[in-house]
Each structure stands twice: as C-alpha cells, then as structure tokens.
Amino acid sequence: MKLLLTAFDPFGGETVNPAQEAVKMVSSRVGNVEVIKCVVPTVFGKSIETVAAAIEDCRPDAVLCIGQAGGRADLTPERIAINLDDASIADNEGNRPVDTPIFPDGKPAYFSTLPVKAMVAAIRAAGIPASLSNTAGTFVCNHLMYGVLYTLEKYYPSVRGGFLHVPYIPSQVTGGRGIPSMSAADIVRGLEAAIAAIGENGRDITVSEGKIC
C-alpha cells in the first residue's frame, strides 16, 4: 500500500510547524505502508493544487494530510471538512477569504474516507493521547482536507483520504504561554500508529467517539 503524507510549512508568525517537523521523522515504511512525503504551502488554493499534483504524480492508495492545531493537547484525526473558507488570519501569501466556498460545485461537506476511529484507537494503543475531532476549522487545514476529498471523489474514487491535527511542540510554547504541547518524537509515534491503522483497516471500526457538545 502507498500513502501520501503531507505537512504544512510554518504559518501565523511561527518559525516551525510541528506537522512538518514530525513528518520529516516518520519512517518511509510503516508496516505494509510505503510512505511518500510532501510539504505543502500554507496558502489557500496553492495547498490543494500542490497535493493534487502529488496525487497525480505518485498515485497513492491513501492520502493523509497533517496540520498544526495550536491549543489541542492530543492527536486528532478529523471526521469532516466543510465547503467554507473563513480566515481569522492571513495565509502565507496574505490571502484572507471570508465566507467563501472552496469549490462552488462541491458538496456542503465531505467526510474523511480514512478509518478515523481505528486511527484514534491505534494512537492510544501506542501510548499517545488521541481523540476524534468534528471540526477542522475554517483556515487552510479545512481548506486542504475539503479540497483533497473533493479531488479524490471527482478523479480518484478508489483512493482514501483525510486529515489529522497535531499539537504544538515544546519550543513553540516557551515563555509561560500555558498552551499544551507534545514532543515531536511522541507525535511521530502517534502518526506512525495512525498510518499502520490505515494500512490494516479497509473499513473503520464501530466504537463510540461522539461528543455531547
């Protein structure tokens, strides 16, 4: 099995992106999964174009995009992406779309086609905190997740895809900011557990990961 693993470059004034730092360290083979890596610009439009080109080039069986979620304390596979850009900050080229559909002809939302609950279970089994997220935000992370799932449905219907957010790494939260962080090494362990779960689960497991609010 071949998996395209993507990560964003730093954005929002940060000098590092934990997604990019961790993806650099992920093994090129995890279980039965060959991992191909791609760095993605944190830019509306260009992020989707970059990953779409990588999909066309390497023809993977699955796509897993990784992004930073400052403030979260665990690894969070995303369940759903919505057809909306609503940026509270500018991207790395100064774009700041508000209330803008990502693809006017797209569905209101796309669900991840990866085994997200199996991924959560595998990350936890590796000793790393994890939970299932029901919002990827409205910045470039959601933009890319939606764009990838739109692209896969339209042009590569046999390829699975989805997104996973990771916390800050410790170097980003120095100075008493009081924000959760996780070591890059632990993030790598969690990502490799998630990748192994993708390789092992053609369908997701049936367990409750719901939230009351």
Side-chain angles (χ1 to χ4, degrees):
M1 177 182 179
K2 186 187 297 184
L3 180 137
L4 176 64
L5 182 67
T6 82
F8 287 108
D9 58 7
F11 68 93
E14 298 285 346
T15 58
V16 297
N17 188 316
Q20 184 180 8
E21 297 306 305
V23 164
K24 287 178 185 176
M25 297 187 286
V26 169
S27 298
S28 59
R29 179 165 289 275
V30 178
N32 69 339
V33 181
E34 176 189 358
V35 179
I36 298 169
K37 304 175 185 180
C38 174
V39 177
V40 181
T42 307
V43 178
F44 290 101
K46 283 188 179 179
S47 55
I48 296 173
E49 293 167 6
T50 298
V51 178
I55 293 168
E56 174 66 21
D57 182 59
C58 73
R59 298 300 177 105
D61 301 292
V63 182
L64 175 60
C65 303
I66 311 299
Q68 166 189 293
R72 293 190 189 179
D74 56 355
L75 270 62
T76 51
E78 298 293 343
R79 193 198 301 257
I80 192 168
I82 61 173
N83 191 10
L84 181 71
D85 291 332
D86 191 8
S88 59
I89 62 172
D91 69 13
N92 284 350
E93 291 189 354
N95 304 299
R96 192 176 173 183
V98 174
D99 296 340
T100 304
I102 300 166
F103 284 100
D105 66 337
K107 296 177 180 178
Y110 286 104
F111 284 94
S112 173
T113 50
L114 298 178
V116 289
K117 292 185 175 181
M119 291 161 65
V120 169
I123 296 167
R124 289 174 181 162
I128 307 299
S131 62
L132 185 60
S133 170
N134 295 304
T135 175
T138 55
F139 193 53
V140 186
C141 290
N142 174 80
H143 178 87
L144 178 60
M145 180 180 176
Y146 184 94
V148 166
L149 293 170
Y150 171 95
T151 299
L152 295 182
E153 180 179 77
K154 197 172 183 71
Y155 302 108
Y156 312 96
S158 65
V159 179
R160 297 183 291 166
F163 198 99
L164 186 153
H165 271 117
V166 302
Y168 284 141
I169 53 177
S171 64
Q172 295 176 280
V173 298
T174 57
R177 293 171 66 182
I179 300 172
S181 67
M182 183 182 292
S183 73
D186 282 348
I187 294 175
V188 172
R189 286 173 54 207
L191 293 182
E192 291 185 348
I195 291 167
I198 294 169
E200 295 165 2
N201 292 270
R203 294 185 178 182
D204 208 356
I205 61 176
T206 303
V207 295
S208 176
E209 289 289 345
K211 293 179 175 64
I212 294 174
C213 60

